[in-house]
């Protein structure tokens, strides 16, 4: 099957069932999404005037793509094959932004050149860890701005959404309407300054429709772990939701009682923070694939 490219001039600012698809792709297609950074590439140097930014052009996502055969109740399995990032990364923080926003008195704009597979931040050389900040499908009802995460995906800012991972997203409307953007050359869990190493780039992925997926989504599978991802107004609520999603999987798929399921998660799982800076906060629950193997639980679309 040929590779289809979604060009970076096809941008949306909300996940919306009314967005016209840029192209249609069969299940099993390999797609290349070209993306602009979360400021739509408006910041090219550290002298850029933060106050002059056009805030209507924040968090663009490239797409959407109509996946043929995807219907409400299905899921998309999105294998992230490769993430290539641009030649420099932008970071911004300031008053009312991020965890120090109550004490910062002026905006700070930083531009860091990417040097091969490293980038130097505040004098410290860091390996690149490319990831996707915004990736989602259209919600069933009201549009969701790309800056907000939710059960449709969106601005999850979750570090495990990286090359080699498979992300599962719900299909809420015919064709799913998959879109993505907001690549980071790296980001720490929490995204505490309000941004990652913001970069334009290109993502190669393969997308497959899974009919009638009953698992709570979004979900990520890496080489070693399964993650449930959940967002909510507070970190407490996001943490509870992510944990209950994993507990529901273990109860349903392994026929464990609620008490035994949560006991197993308490003994063997890890509750983690994805981000604390978006309109909804995001947490994830990590469980090793070895645990699932011992429970004889097969991942959706993956033979046991
Ligand atoms: Ca983001
Ligand atoms: Ca970002």
């Amino acid at each position: 099957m040929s590779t289809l490219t979604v060009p970076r001039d096809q941008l949306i600012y909300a996940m919306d069932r009314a967005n016209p698809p840029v192209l249609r792709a069969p299940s099993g297609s390999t797609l290349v999404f070209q993306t602009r950074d979360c400021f739509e590439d408006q910041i090219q140097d550290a002298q850029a005037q933060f106050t002059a930014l056009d805030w209507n052009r924040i968090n663009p996502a490239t797409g959407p793509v109509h996946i043929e055969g995807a219907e409400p109740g299905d899921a998309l399995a999105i294998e992230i094959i490769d993430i290539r990032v641009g030649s420099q990364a932008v970071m911004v923080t300031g008053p009312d932004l991020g965890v120090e926003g109550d004490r910062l008195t002026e905006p700070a704009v930083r531009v860091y050149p990417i040097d091969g597979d490293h980038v130097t931040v505040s004098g410290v050389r860091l390996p690149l860890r490319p990831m996707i900040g915004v990736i989602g499908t259209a919600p069933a009802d009201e549009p969701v701005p790309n800056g907000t995460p939710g059960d449709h995906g969106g601005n999850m800012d979750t570090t495990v959404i990286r090359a080699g991972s498979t992300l599962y997203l719900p299909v809420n409307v015919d064709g799913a309407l998959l879109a993505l953007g907001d690549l980071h050359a790296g980001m720490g869990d929490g995204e505490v300054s309000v941004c990652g190493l913001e970069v334009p780039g290109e993502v190669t992925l393969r997308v497959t429709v899974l009919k009638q997926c009953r698992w709570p989504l979004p979900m990520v599978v890496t080489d070693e772990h399964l993650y449930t991802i959940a967002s909510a107004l507070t970190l407490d609520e996001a943490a509870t939701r992510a944990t209950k999603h994993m507990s529901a999987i273990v109860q349903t798929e392994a026929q464990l009682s609620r008490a035994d399921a949560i006991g197993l998660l308490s003994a063997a799982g890890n509750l983690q923070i994805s981000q604390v800076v978006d309109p909804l906060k995001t947490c994830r629950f990590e469980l090793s694939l070895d645990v699932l193997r011992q429970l004889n639980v097969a991942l959706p679309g993956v033979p046991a």
Side-chain angles (χ1 to χ4, degrees), residues 157-183:
D157 288 320
T158 294
T159 51
V160 295
I161 304 178
R162 62 188 181 218
S165 296
T166 298
L167 169 68
Y168 296 76
L169 289 177
V171 178
N172 303 305
V173 303
D174 285 346
L177 298 181
L178 176 66
L180 67 88
D182 186 31
L183 303 187

Short mmCIF file of all heavy atoms in Angstrom, two decimals, residues 157-183:
data_model
loop_
_atom_site.label_atom_id
_atom_site.label_comp_id
_atom_site.label_asym_id
_atom_site.label_seq_id
_atom_site.Cartn_x
_atom_site.Cartn_y
_atom_site.Cartn_z
N ASP A 157 -0.14 15.48 25.59
CA ASP A 157 1.21 15.79 26.07
C ASP A 157 1.77 14.67 26.93
O ASP A 157 2.20 14.88 28.06
CB ASP A 157 1.22 17.14 26.81
CG ASP A 157 1.06 18.32 25.86
OD1 ASP A 157 1.66 18.29 24.78
OD2 ASP A 157 0.33 19.27 26.20
N THR A 158 1.75 13.48 26.37
CA THR A 158 2.11 12.26 27.09
C THR A 158 3.37 11.68 26.44
O THR A 158 3.37 11.33 25.26
CB THR A 158 0.93 11.27 27.04
OG1 THR A 158 -0.15 11.83 27.79
CG2 THR A 158 1.30 9.91 27.60
N THR A 159 4.45 11.58 27.23
CA THR A 159 5.76 11.29 26.66
C THR A 159 5.85 9.92 25.99
O THR A 159 6.73 9.71 25.14
CB THR A 159 6.86 11.38 27.74
OG1 THR A 159 6.45 10.60 28.87
CG2 THR A 159 7.05 12.82 28.20
N VAL A 160 4.98 8.99 26.37
CA VAL A 160 5.06 7.66 25.75
C VAL A 160 4.42 7.61 24.37
O VAL A 160 4.46 6.56 23.71
CB VAL A 160 4.48 6.55 26.67
CG1 VAL A 160 5.33 6.44 27.93
CG2 VAL A 160 3.03 6.80 27.00
N ILE A 161 3.85 8.71 23.89
CA ILE A 161 3.33 8.77 22.52
C ILE A 161 4.51 9.13 21.62
O ILE A 161 4.73 10.28 21.25
CB ILE A 161 2.14 9.75 22.40
CG1 ILE A 161 1.05 9.35 23.40
CG2 ILE A 161 1.59 9.75 20.98
CD1 ILE A 161 -0.16 10.28 23.42
N ARG A 162 5.31 8.13 21.32
CA ARG A 162 6.61 8.30 20.67
C ARG A 162 6.78 7.18 19.65
O ARG A 162 5.98 6.22 19.61
CB ARG A 162 7.71 8.24 21.72
CG ARG A 162 7.75 6.90 22.42
CD ARG A 162 8.70 6.84 23.61
NE ARG A 162 8.67 5.49 24.16
CZ ARG A 162 8.72 5.19 25.45
NH1 ARG A 162 8.85 6.13 26.35
NH2 ARG A 162 8.67 3.93 25.84
N ALA A 163 7.85 7.26 18.85
CA ALA A 163 8.11 6.23 17.85
C ALA A 163 8.28 4.88 18.54
O ALA A 163 8.90 4.78 19.59
CB ALA A 163 9.36 6.58 17.05
N GLY A 164 7.69 3.85 17.93
CA GLY A 164 7.74 2.50 18.50
C GLY A 164 6.50 2.17 19.31
O GLY A 164 6.26 1.00 19.63
N SER A 165 5.72 3.20 19.67
CA SER A 165 4.49 2.98 20.44
C SER A 165 3.31 2.80 19.49
O SER A 165 3.32 3.29 18.37
CB SER A 165 4.18 4.18 21.34
OG SER A 165 5.18 4.35 22.32
N THR A 166 2.27 2.12 20.00
CA THR A 166 0.98 2.09 19.31
C THR A 166 -0.03 2.79 20.19
O THR A 166 -0.19 2.44 21.36
CB THR A 166 0.53 0.64 19.04
OG1 THR A 166 1.50 0.02 18.18
CG2 THR A 166 -0.83 0.61 18.35
N LEU A 167 -0.67 3.80 19.62
CA LEU A 167 -1.70 4.57 20.32
C LEU A 167 -3.06 4.10 19.83
O LEU A 167 -3.27 3.96 18.62
CB LEU A 167 -1.52 6.06 20.02
CG LEU A 167 -2.65 7.00 20.45
CD1 LEU A 167 -2.75 7.09 21.98
CD2 LEU A 167 -2.42 8.40 19.86
N TYR A 168 -3.95 3.85 20.76
CA TYR A 168 -5.33 3.47 20.43
C TYR A 168 -6.24 4.65 20.74
O TYR A 168 -6.22 5.16 21.87
CB TYR A 168 -5.78 2.26 21.25
CG TYR A 168 -5.00 0.99 20.99
CD1 TYR A 168 -3.72 0.82 21.51
CD2 TYR A 168 -5.55 -0.04 20.24
CE1 TYR A 168 -3.01 -0.35 21.28
CE2 TYR A 168 -4.85 -1.23 20.01
CZ TYR A 168 -3.57 -1.37 20.53
OH TYR A 168 -2.87 -2.52 20.31
N LEU A 169 -6.99 5.09 19.74
CA LEU A 169 -7.94 6.20 19.92
C LEU A 169 -9.34 5.73 19.54
O LEU A 169 -9.50 4.90 18.65
CB LEU A 169 -7.55 7.39 19.03
CG LEU A 169 -6.29 8.17 19.41
CD1 LEU A 169 -6.02 9.25 18.37
CD2 LEU A 169 -6.43 8.78 20.79
N PRO A 170 -10.35 6.32 20.17
CA PRO A 170 -11.72 5.93 19.83
C PRO A 170 -12.15 6.51 18.48
O PRO A 170 -11.67 7.57 18.07
CB PRO A 170 -12.55 6.54 20.96
CG PRO A 170 -11.76 7.72 21.39
CD PRO A 170 -10.31 7.34 21.22
N VAL A 171 -13.06 5.81 17.83
CA VAL A 171 -13.73 6.34 16.64
C VAL A 171 -15.11 6.81 17.09
O VAL A 171 -15.92 6.00 17.55
CB VAL A 171 -13.85 5.28 15.54
CG1 VAL A 171 -14.60 5.85 14.34
CG2 VAL A 171 -12.47 4.76 15.13
N ASN A 172 -15.35 8.10 16.98
CA ASN A 172 -16.63 8.68 17.43
C ASN A 172 -17.54 9.07 16.29
O ASN A 172 -18.74 9.28 16.49
CB ASN A 172 -16.36 9.91 18.29
CG ASN A 172 -15.46 9.60 19.48
OD1 ASN A 172 -15.76 8.72 20.27
ND2 ASN A 172 -14.35 10.31 19.58
N VAL A 173 -16.95 9.25 15.09
CA VAL A 173 -17.72 9.66 13.90
C VAL A 173 -17.22 8.82 12.73
O VAL A 173 -16.10 8.29 12.76
CB VAL A 173 -17.52 11.17 13.59
CG1 VAL A 173 -17.92 12.02 14.80
CG2 VAL A 173 -16.09 11.49 13.17
N ASP A 174 -18.04 8.70 11.70
CA ASP A 174 -17.62 7.94 10.52
C ASP A 174 -16.30 8.49 9.99
O ASP A 174 -16.16 9.71 9.80
CB ASP A 174 -18.69 8.01 9.43
CG ASP A 174 -19.89 7.12 9.75
OD1 ASP A 174 -19.77 6.26 10.66
OD2 ASP A 174 -20.93 7.30 9.11
N GLY A 175 -15.32 7.61 9.77
CA GLY A 175 -14.03 8.03 9.23
C GLY A 175 -13.04 8.48 10.28
O GLY A 175 -11.88 8.75 9.97
N ALA A 176 -13.49 8.61 11.52
CA ALA A 176 -12.64 8.95 12.68
C ALA A 176 -12.12 10.38 12.66
O ALA A 176 -12.10 11.06 13.65
CB ALA A 176 -11.48 7.97 12.87
N LEU A 177 -11.62 10.86 11.51
CA LEU A 177 -11.05 12.21 11.36
C LEU A 177 -9.82 12.39 12.25
O LEU A 177 -9.80 13.17 13.20
CB LEU A 177 -12.08 13.31 11.61
CG LEU A 177 -13.27 13.30 10.64
CD1 LEU A 177 -14.25 14.44 10.96
CD2 LEU A 177 -12.82 13.39 9.18
N LEU A 178 -8.76 11.70 11.88
CA LEU A 178 -7.49 11.71 12.62
C LEU A 178 -6.66 12.94 12.26
O LEU A 178 -6.49 13.26 11.07
CB LEU A 178 -6.70 10.44 12.28
CG LEU A 178 -5.31 10.32 12.88
CD1 LEU A 178 -5.36 10.20 14.40
CD2 LEU A 178 -4.58 9.12 12.27
N ALA A 179 -6.15 13.62 13.27
CA ALA A 179 -5.27 14.78 13.05
C ALA A 179 -4.21 14.80 14.14
O ALA A 179 -4.42 14.28 15.24
CB ALA A 179 -6.08 16.08 13.07
N LEU A 180 -3.07 15.45 13.85
CA LEU A 180 -2.01 15.54 14.87
C LEU A 180 -1.12 16.75 14.63
O LEU A 180 -1.06 17.30 13.53
CB LEU A 180 -1.19 14.25 14.90
CG LEU A 180 -0.32 13.90 13.70
CD1 LEU A 180 1.08 14.53 13.82
CD2 LEU A 180 -0.17 12.39 13.59
N GLY A 181 -0.43 17.14 15.71
CA GLY A 181 0.52 18.27 15.65
C GLY A 181 1.23 18.38 16.98
O GLY A 181 1.27 17.44 17.77
N ASP A 182 1.83 19.58 17.23
CA ASP A 182 2.45 19.86 18.53
C ASP A 182 3.55 18.83 18.86
O ASP A 182 3.57 18.26 19.95
CB ASP A 182 1.37 19.89 19.62
CG ASP A 182 1.90 20.31 20.98
OD1 ASP A 182 2.86 21.10 21.02
OD2 ASP A 182 1.37 19.83 22.01
N LEU A 183 4.45 18.62 17.92
CA LEU A 183 5.57 17.71 18.21
C LEU A 183 6.52 18.36 19.20
O LEU A 183 6.72 19.57 19.20
CB LEU A 183 6.33 17.38 16.92
CG LEU A 183 5.54 16.76 15.78
CD1 LEU A 183 6.49 16.34 14.66
CD2 LEU A 183 4.71 15.58 16.25
#
